[in-house]
Amino acid sequence: MNIVTLGTEVLRRKAEEVTDFGAGTVKLAADMLETLRGAKGLGLAAPQVGVSRRLFIVTIPDEPPLVFVNPEVLELSPETGKYEEGCLSLPGIYADVTRPLALRVRAWDGREKPFTMDAEGLLARVILHEMDHLDGIMFIDRLTELKRKRIMKVWEDKFRA
Ligand code: ZN
């Protein structure tokens, strides 16, 4: 699948709930997993492959891949932390983003089985980054305006080059 980059409208749209857990959703998750592995990323949300649906996948090294369908954050830790993030839809751009360090999330897996998960560390960070994609939010939106402007300039220069 083709990964779309900043400037593509679907990345800024609020994605719709998945209502059909049939073969189409199973195939979407499988195709996204292959795409993510090829791109060497940690997470990929459906809007990033042009599909405005509430589904994302996470692949943390040495862990089995996880599929989240219609995810809902139930709890966020009050403790936050800064960590450098990148995004397959913003290739070459990295910045420190502040986010809660732990969370509890409820979702369905790719085969219509509900689950609740407590996550912390890298996993929590990737989940929150991907959750944002389902609401049309990019990680640069979580930076200060000054930082975001600086990054947007780098991004635009890259396009012009
Ligand atoms: Zn991203």
Side-chain angles (χ1 to χ4, degrees):
M1 302 181 100
N2 187 31
I3 298 176
V4 300
T5 53
L6 185 68
T8 309
E9 191 269 338
V10 67
L11 287 176
R12 291 313 202 169
R13 212 187 299 161
K14 194 172 158 68
E16 282 168 39
E17 296 270 311
V18 173
T19 51
D20 167 24
F21 283 86
T25 296
V26 173
K27 185 172 184 332
L28 172 63
D31 288 350
M32 282 172 60
L33 188 58
E34 207 184 308
T35 304
L36 180 57
R37 286 195 167 132
K40 299 195 185 329
L42 296 176
L44 186 67
Q48 293 182 276
V49 292
V51 179
S52 195
R53 286 280 181 268
R54 303 189 78 78
L55 182 154
F56 64 78
I57 55 172
V58 174
T59 54
I60 298 292
D62 306 321
E63 300 278 346
L66 298 166
V67 180
F68 295 79
V69 181
N70 297 339
E72 192 187 341
V73 171
L74 302 177
E75 235 178 291
L76 289 171
S77 70
E79 301 83 19
T80 60
K82 243 189 211 178
Y83 194 81
E84 188 176 70
E85 293 189 21
C87 180
L88 294 172
S89 294
L90 272 165
I93 302 287
Y94 301 91
D96 283 344
V97 182
T98 301
R99 296 189 189 270
L101 291 175
L103 62 94
R104 175 169 292 163
V105 61
R106 180 171 61 199
W108 281 261
D109 69 8
R111 300 187 184 274
E112 211 177 352
K113 200 173 156 241
F115 66 94
T116 301
M117 176 187 280
D118 290 317
E120 56 178 22
L122 184 61
L123 178 59
R125 180 154 295 263
V126 177
I127 289 171
L128 289 171
H129 177 116
E130 302 309 325
M131 286 288 304
D132 273 354
H133 276 303
L134 305 185
D135 291 323
I137 298 166
M138 305 282 291
F139 80 86
I140 51 169
D141 301 339
R142 301 223 173 256
L143 306 176
T144 62
E145 200 182 337
L146 184 67
K147 258 196 173 167
R148 185 169 53 247
K149 277 188 177 157
R150 211 178 292 153
I151 280 179
M152 284 311 295
K153 187 163 179 337
V154 173
W155 175 253
E156 280 154 19
D157 287 349
K158 261 177 65 134
F159 262 116
R160 237 175 275 137

